[in-house]
Amino acid sequence: MPKLKTHKGARDRIKITGTGKMLRTKGPKSHLRVHKSKRVKGQLDEMIPLSPADRKRISRLLPYGTK
């Protein structure tokens, strides 16, 4: 069986924690950021857990990062 390739776009967007949780960032972070409130900008900067429905699909893109 050949080695699986890591999807480079998913590697840059998804962070896998030491316990195996997958974290992602939120959507439109930079477009018209000047007009967004400080609270909204802070919420956009934090990483949130990946939904369980997406975990299986993303784990195929990142074969060696998941536990």
Side-chain angles (χ1 to χ4, degrees):
M1 181 99 181
K3 286 195 235 177
L4 297 171
K5 290 196 173 182
T6 299
H7 191 278
K8 302 298 183 175
R11 180 197 63 189
D12 294 339
R13 288 174 171 85
I14 307 293
K15 179 183 185 292
I16 299 172
T17 64
T19 57
K21 281 193 259 181
M22 295 180 163
L23 300 176
R24 68 171 179 88
T25 55
K26 288 195 171 186
K29 289 177 24 162
S30 61
H31 186 68
L32 297 176
R33 193 173 167 107
V34 174
H35 304 292
K36 292 179 170 64
S37 70
K38 186 176 180 182
R39 184 179 73 89
V40 170
K41 287 188 276 192
Q43 287 176 339
L44 289 174
D45 284 339
E46 65 189 35
M47 297 197 62
I48 59 173
L50 203 63
S51 69
D54 293 330
R55 278 186 67 89
K56 185 177 179 182
R57 187 166 50 89
I58 298 298
S59 63
R60 285 195 203 117
L61 298 175
L62 303 170
Y64 301 109
T66 58
K67 289 184 177 180

